[in-house]
Amino acid sequence: MKFNSFVMRVILIASIVLSIILSWKIWTNNTHYERRTDSQTTTKAVSRKSDRKISDIFLPTQILWRTNQQSQLVYNSKESLVPKLKEAMKLTKSARFKASKLSEANYYQAITTDDTLTLLYPDNISYAVFKKVFDDSNNQLSRNTTFNRIKITMGNKPQLTLMNDKSHMTYQTTMRQFSEAQVKRILDHSDVHLNVKESLLNHKPFIYVAADQSLLPYSYLVNQQPENYYITTLLDQKNTDNIDAKEQGDNVIYTDGANNDLYKRLTINHKTGEIAFVKYEDTKSPTGLTKSFETSFAALLKTGNSLSGMRFYSYDEDTNSTTYRTYVEGAPTLVF
């Protein structure tokens, strides 16, 4: 018994000594663990940066194919067709554009021509942005010339027409490098051809889906960030005590800064999930549509949010503001 007691005392003393040694090593090497934590945090911050370009965000959102006096809204549920069509219609060589102002009747006739492929934007873009998206090396139009419709007329001499649904202005040219066979192969690989009709409403064409058509149900995972993510990213990241919050109906409005030159406002609608961010800076507003797009896109990148599926949605001339939305199958996502 005495021997066993002696062994237990030795083991206990050894354990205490070992514990003291290990504790001393941890305390004296604390800076090592701190550096490791900083490194991990830095890696996470870098991974949030987006490598998206303005040419990715300003892609057309809808594809229309018209043949036999029937328009079809075309898309592929497995992959986006727009980037493939973009590669098929690189405009390295083309004749000069011919500008025309059409009457309402002639404009409607032009958009309902057979054997045409049309790429649609939800709102007007500028020619300078079009050049970036489609790698167009020509300088044939003013950089701020606006249009929302890119129409390709098939045939021996394929025609490219840039069309503005609001003003009924058209800009037409002959495409010298274009493969009709390649485009038709891309369209043949699409798994959805939805019969639609374009009709004029308030002097503008709108797409109406024909009746008695069924679609397969789809489910998608939509990326969503908590409110605090946008508050810390877009407002004062160093001192959240400077941020004021107030409720107005379904909206929560966060403000940062009393100085008008540095004033920021973040509005979050809890009903729709929409977020609006306004930043007043001691700088001049961008002049021209293209500059406004470039400035808004730079601000979009600064949010650090995922831009997968993000597309240009609209531009408001009165407020000089650009809206972007996440798109699925050519339609903007909504939160219910």
Side-chain angles (χ1 to χ4, degrees), residues 186-235:
I186 295 172
L187 295 176
D188 289 340
H189 280 83
S190 60
D191 56 8
V192 177
H193 290 251
L194 194 62
N195 289 337
V196 298
K197 180 181 179 181
E198 289 195 271
S199 299
L200 295 177
L201 178 64
N202 294 329
H203 311 290
K204 288 177 53 181
F206 280 83
I207 296 177
Y208 297 89
V209 179
D212 300 329
Q213 296 186 80
S214 59
L215 293 174
L216 293 174
Y218 295 99
S219 61
Y220 294 88
L221 293 176
V222 179
N223 182 47
Q224 187 175 4
Q225 299 286 1
E227 288 185 15
N228 288 339
Y229 172 83
Y230 295 101
I231 295 171
T232 56
T233 302
L234 299 176
L235 299 179

Side-chain angles (χ1 to χ4, degrees), residues 57-73:
I57 306 303
F58 278 81
L59 285 171
T61 56
Q62 292 181 316
I63 303 171
L64 281 177
W65 168 245
R66 185 172 178 86
T67 184
N68 297 325
Q69 298 183 344
Q70 175 63 59
S71 296
Q72 294 180 329
L73 189 62

Side-chain angles (χ1 to χ4, degrees), residues 8-234:
M8 291 296 294
R9 290 180 181 179
V10 171
I11 294 175
L12 179 60
I13 294 173
S15 300
I16 294 174
V17 173
L18 180 61
S19 176
I20 294 174
I21 293 174
L22 292 176
S23 299
W24 178 79
K25 284 184 174 291
I26 293 174
W27 294 333
T28 56
N29 288 275
N30 187 44
T31 54
H32 167 73
Y33 294 100
E34 289 179 353
R35 285 197 300 269
R36 183 177 179 181
T37 303
D38 293 341
S39 175
Q40 291 175 339
T41 303
T42 304
T43 303
K44 290 181 180 179
V46 171
S47 65
R48 285 169 53 184
K49 293 184 178 179
S50 174
D51 58 353
R52 292 281 175 172
K53 300 178 182 178
I54 193 170
S55 58
D56 299 321
I57 306 303
F58 278 81
L59 285 171
T61 56
Q62 292 181 316
I63 303 171
L64 281 177
W65 168 245
R66 185 172 178 86
T67 184
N68 297 325
Q69 298 183 344
Q70 175 63 59
S71 296
Q72 294 180 329
L73 189 62
V74 180
Y75 63 86
N76 193 324
S77 60
K78 297 179 181 179
E79 58 181 340
S80 176
L81 299 178
V82 174
K84 291 188 174 183
L85 290 173
K86 166 188 167 181
E87 292 299 317
M89 54 181 289
K90 283 187 176 180
L91 307 177
T92 54
K93 293 182 181 179
S94 62
R96 295 195 65 82
F97 283 99
K98 179 182 178 182
S100 299
K101 169 78 171 180
L102 302 182
S103 65
E104 185 174 303
N106 289 339
Y107 190 85
Y108 181 74
Q109 183 179 6
I111 67 173
T112 54
T113 305
D114 265 358
D115 297 322
T116 56
L117 171 71
T118 303
L119 303 179
L120 282 172
Y121 284 95
D123 202 354
N124 284 336
I125 66 164
S126 67
Y127 179 63
V129 171
F130 168 81
K131 284 166 56 66
K132 292 181 179 181
V133 174
F134 290 94
D135 300 323
D136 182 13
S137 60
N138 301 289
N139 291 297
Q140 303 177 356
L141 296 173
S142 168
R143 61 187 272 109
N144 287 317
T145 298
T146 60
F147 50 90
N148 67 297
R149 186 181 293 263
I150 303 170
K151 187 186 76 170
I152 299 174
T153 305
M154 307 294 182
N156 295 330
K157 293 183 178 180
Q159 301 290 318
L160 170 71
T161 309
L162 309 179
M163 310 179 71
N164 189 317
D165 287 351
K166 295 179 181 178
S167 66
H168 297 166
M169 285 294 301
T170 64
Y171 308 89
Q172 189 177 78
T173 184
T174 301
M175 301 178 70
R176 295 177 181 171
Q177 288 189 345
F178 178 74
S179 174
E180 181 176 332
Q182 182 181 0
V183 168
K184 289 188 174 180
R185 282 196 300 269
I186 295 172
L187 295 176
D188 289 340
H189 280 83
S190 60
D191 56 8
V192 177
H193 290 251
L194 194 62
N195 289 337
V196 298
K197 180 181 179 181
E198 289 195 271
S199 299
L200 295 177
L201 178 64
N202 294 329
H203 311 290
K204 288 177 53 181
F206 280 83
I207 296 177
Y208 297 89
V209 179
D212 300 329
Q213 296 186 80
S214 59
L215 293 174
L216 293 174
Y218 295 99
S219 61
Y220 294 88
L221 293 176
V222 179
N223 182 47
Q224 187 175 4
Q225 299 286 1
E227 288 185 15
N228 288 339
Y229 172 83
Y230 295 101
I231 295 171
T232 56
T233 302
L234 299 176

